[in-house]
Amino acid sequence: MTTTDQNTTDLNTTSDRLLTEVERQQKYLDRLPDNYAFPLFNAAQALESQRRSGYRNTASAAREIVDNALEAGATRVDVCFERPKTLKAYQRADSISAIAFIDNGSGMIPKMAQYALSWGAGTHFDEPDFIGKFGFGLPNASINQTRLVEVYTKVAGVPTVTKAWLDARDVKDHGLQAIPAPVEAQLPEFVQTYLDKKGLSFDHGTIVVWVEPDRISYRTPALMREHLVDDFGVTYRYLLGKAELYVEGSKIEPVDPLFLTKGARYYLDEAKGGAKMQRDWNIPVKYARDEEGILTLTKVEDIAELDSDDPDLEAAGAIYIRVSRFPYGFAEHSKGKAENDSHRRFEIRKTRRGMSFVRAGREIETVDVFPKSMRDQAKGLGDWPLLQSYAYHWGVEVRFDPALDEIFGITNDKQTVRPIEDLWRLLTLEGVDKQLGLEQSHQRKMRKEEKEKRDAAEAARSAVATVAETAAAQADTMTGNKPRVTDRAKGQVREDLEQQAKQQAKVTKTSIESARKALEDQAKQRPYVIDFYDEPKGPFYKPEWQTGGQVAVLINREHAFFQALYGPLLKFAQGNQAKQALDVLLITLARAELVIEDETCATWYETQREQAWSPFLANAYKMLQQANAPVDEETAESSAADDEAGGEGEADQAAA
């Protein structure tokens, strides 16, 4: 054995981490055959890399197959699953062993079926108005989900079905790799069974079968069906009027994530509490070189600006934008399974919080990150809101044609959008960022008001004596100084007692005397009571003699005192002790004011409480709330998310 041979052997058996970079290079070059022709792609390794390309899930890969079917003129696309005939180890009977995509499009002639399985073999690259033009969809998406993809196709008037396939398991480590020549074939049994069951014929069209898919998102047919139905309904919402889509026999219905499209699932008329169109734009644009030769996106003010013969004009088209606002309760989180339309709308919004981009009627992506840095703002890219919890409750959509692909940065897998800076600058000039900021502010304000209403509704008089009321009564016993109704109030207290006794006597069907005694006994057993009232401009509390001489503290749920202090105490798990202590303080103030005999003095206290203390307290609490508010919007919205349903807050954290 020569020294060179010995060195080669040593390299092949040595771990990469122990080799220098040059030695590692030599190790892998030594594995190539002598006649290696250095193709553009190393087939086996390239395929394995492609298998891990960035499809988010099975639905996003499946879209590529559906796109091809629609481009081929299909008016119907069916997706069906095969269950395993014989089970492998650890395999469930109710699992997926193959997925078929059946369309009634034009079909392909044999060589085209073979050609279509190679990367870059599209036939629409020079036609910018088509959904797909890159020629990557069929092989890229298929190989991402399975190692073996089969294509069955038939053109009208031809009696036989052509089969072509790509099997990653047969690809050699090195050397040129070709797609096998297509053959005549019968349709897979599970596909033919599905067609027969649905009363469908296969006169022309294409069937793509993912055989034994190993990278699908869900293994069971039920979950996979739900996955595809939910995704296709939103993705193809604008195209379902031209073609029908079915998954395991279930027809896909359009779903507008902005809930503005009449007839779509979960739509509700605005007059009945549905979503409202806040703003919409139709912006004609051109992408052309300026005087310095730099490609720039600008709004077309006059159609005369567009000249198809202009060598500086790269693209022209229109950008359509719409913004929708959801009323309170229209799309709300459910802690369990989505039980009603409101919960189902929220499930849709959970995955589409942000700006939805729709290309040629087909949704590409929802972008949830806007330009936000100081540098971005200085460059004129806008002042965009942070997408925290409130963004679930409004929607924005941007539609455009494939002619503008370069502006939106569409990738060849049609999964992502990477807009150029000029687009953000254009949207800012049109006021889109300001409109979204208004939507955030509206939702924040509305939900704050609704929260205050909920807090107020939960604050009600207790059916039994509270800890604070009991403590106040015990304090009277200890001092032997119980409050007595003043002479100036006795007449009103007696009148109120008689009126209530008469009402109770009718309800209980007893004598007025018995009803009166029962009310007096109740007042003795519960001499103090905390109650509530609502008066927007009223004092933060007011004392009142009630039935039989009972001292009542009426807390104003409309005052800032309740909104800033009392209401929040009701929400905190550890706030009850502080709330009871606050009640004792209010009882003390009310008791002191009610027992004043001198009418002038009593009037002075009432005037101070209503015209001095309460207004000052309202203003001070408002200033306190502003001072304690989070400095940045993100913190504010995260806090709001925590105040809403727990699941919604968790969803915010996951998306952040």
Side-chain angles (χ1 to χ4, degrees), residues 89-110:
Y90 308 109
Q91 188 176 25
R92 295 175 49 177
D94 187 27
S95 60
I96 296 173
S97 58
I99 301 177
F101 301 84
I102 309 166
D103 74 61
N104 65 351
S106 60
M108 292 182 282
I109 56 179

Side-chain angles (χ1 to χ4, degrees), residues 516-592:
R516 185 189 304 113
K517 186 177 186 307
L519 290 171
E520 290 174 338
D521 290 343
Q522 178 181 331
K524 290 178 182 178
Q525 294 171 4
R526 190 179 180 181
Y528 298 102
V529 63
I530 297 291
D531 206 345
F532 301 87
Y533 80 108
D534 301 289
E535 188 176 327
K537 295 185 179 181
F540 73 100
Y541 90 96
K542 59 184 180 183
E544 188 176 274
W545 289 111
Q546 288 192 349
T547 308
Q550 195 177 47
V551 173
V553 179
L554 305 182
I555 300 171
N556 189 358
R557 289 178 293 207
E558 295 286 339
H559 194 277
F561 164 77
F562 179 88
Q563 296 160 4
L565 176 60
Y566 201 95
L569 287 177
L570 299 177
K571 289 292 183 182
F572 297 150
Q574 306 300 323
N576 184 60
Q577 184 174 353
K579 183 261 184 190
Q580 299 297 336
L582 182 57
D583 283 348
V584 169
L585 174 61
L586 293 173
I587 289 172
T588 303
L589 295 175
R591 180 184 187 278

